[in-house]
């Protein structure tokens, strides 16, 4: 259960990291304005932003979201560790899942449909792909093929690395929390069986 809760929070953190990368990668507007916006069909794409705009967006939206997710993970983990029965553990896990989705439910319930549709049209431009320069002796088609292979290999390596990091976080963070960070059973080192056996033998439980 603690690993599932960690994975839920990790997905939110990855979302924050992705938006931080997109905002930080935006170039400055070419016309000297605060932002640069392009229209692609029905989508409105933010393709440039000044340093002050990026700083405000990162500090006012992304950093608070990151801190909230970390704090909620900490409190939720402590709540789960302090649960004494399997039934209460499942109920508490469902309550935590409800809390993580509360902001989206409020948005879906309170915001009119036309505004939600308008929000869906706003996009942030992805960083431009670095294309392999055409080397001597290579045709244009051959250079495009090598560029496609490079992009495919980078994406595959990124996906594999992301899966490995996610697995390490989901498995490792709960173990680290249980061993060193939890404050429910101070000094706990997976040795609770001996202490409980002594209490049962003495008739305290």
């Amino acid at each position: 259960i603690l690993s599932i809760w960690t994975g839920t929070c990790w997905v939110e953190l990855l979302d924050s990291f992705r938006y931080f990368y997109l905002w930080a990668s935006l170039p400055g507007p070419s016309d000297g304005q605060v932002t640069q916006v392009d229209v692609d069909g029905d989508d409105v794409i933010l393709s440039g932003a000044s340093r002050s705009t990026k700083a405000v967006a990162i500090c006012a939206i992304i950093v608070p979201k990151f801190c909230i997710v970390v704090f909620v993970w900490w409190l939720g983990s402590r709540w789960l560790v302090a649960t004494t029965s399997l039934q209460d553990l499942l109920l508490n896990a469902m309550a935590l899942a409800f809390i993580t989705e509360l902001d989206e439910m409020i948005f879906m319930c309170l915001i009119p449909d036309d505004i939600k549709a308008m929000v869906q049209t706003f996009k942030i431009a992805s960083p431009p792909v670095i294309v392999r320069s055409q080397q001597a002796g290579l045709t244009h088609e051959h250079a495009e093929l090598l560029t496609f292979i490079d992009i495919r290999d980078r994406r595959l390596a990124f996906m594999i690395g992301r899966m490995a990091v996610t697995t390490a976080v989901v498995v490792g963070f709960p173990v680290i929390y249980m061993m060193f960070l939890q404050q429910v059973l101070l000094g706990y080192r997976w040795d609770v069986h001996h202490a409980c056996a002594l209490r049962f033998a003495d008739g305290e439980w």
Side-chain angles (χ1 to χ4, degrees):
I1 296 296
L2 194 57
S3 295
I4 296 175
W5 170 239
T6 302
T8 302
C9 294
W10 179 245
V11 171
E12 297 292 334
L13 287 179
L14 287 178
D15 191 55
S16 298
F17 293 151
R18 182 172 67 89
Y19 278 109
F20 174 81
Y21 173 72
L22 290 176
W23 273 101
S25 301
L26 285 176
S30 57
D31 54 1
Q33 299 295 323
V34 177
T35 59
Q36 180 176 340
V37 176
D38 299 327
V39 178
D40 183 12
D42 294 333
D43 295 334
V44 179
I45 302 175
L46 178 64
S47 57
S50 62
R51 291 183 177 180
S52 58
T53 303
K54 291 191 288 186
V56 170
I58 292 174
C59 294
I61 300 175
I62 300 176
V63 172
K65 180 180 179 181
F66 176 86
C67 296
I68 290 172
V69 171
V70 173
F71 185 66
V72 169
W73 174 81
W74 177 271
L75 290 182
S77 299
R78 186 171 183 178
W79 192 25
L80 292 175
V81 171
T83 304
T84 57
S85 66
L86 180 60
Q87 180 180 1
D88 291 340
L89 182 63
L90 295 176
L91 291 176
N92 291 343
M94 294 179 61
L96 289 175
F98 171 78
I99 291 175
T100 58
E101 298 176 359
L102 187 60
D103 56 340
E104 296 183 4
M105 288 189 291
I106 293 176
F107 176 80
M108 295 298 296
C109 293
L110 299 183
I111 304 302
D113 291 338
D114 53 346
I115 296 181
K116 287 188 288 187
M118 182 182 65
V119 170
Q120 294 296 326
T121 62
F122 288 98
K123 312 288 183 182
I124 301 178
S126 300
V129 178
I130 301 177
V131 180
R132 177 192 288 263
S133 60
Q134 189 169 348
Q135 302 175 358
L138 293 180
T139 63
H140 179 70
E141 291 77 10
H142 193 189
E144 287 185 347
L145 177 60
L146 293 178
T147 300
F148 171 78
I149 295 175
D150 286 345
I151 295 174
R152 182 198 62 185
D153 292 343
R154 286 198 297 266
R155 288 180 177 176
L156 180 60
F158 174 78
M159 292 173 60
I160 294 175
R162 179 174 175 175
M163 291 174 58
V165 171
T166 299
T167 302
V169 169
V170 171
V171 175
F173 272 35
V175 175
I176 294 175
Y177 180 81
M178 290 290 295
M179 293 293 296
F180 305 107
L181 302 178
Q182 61 89 16
Q183 298 177 345
V184 178
L185 297 174
L186 299 179
Y188 173 64
R189 292 297 180 268
W190 309 98
D191 54 357
V192 71
H193 174 74
H194 178 69
C196 292
L198 293 178
R199 288 183 176 270
F200 277 116
D202 294 340
E204 298 182 17
W205 288 351

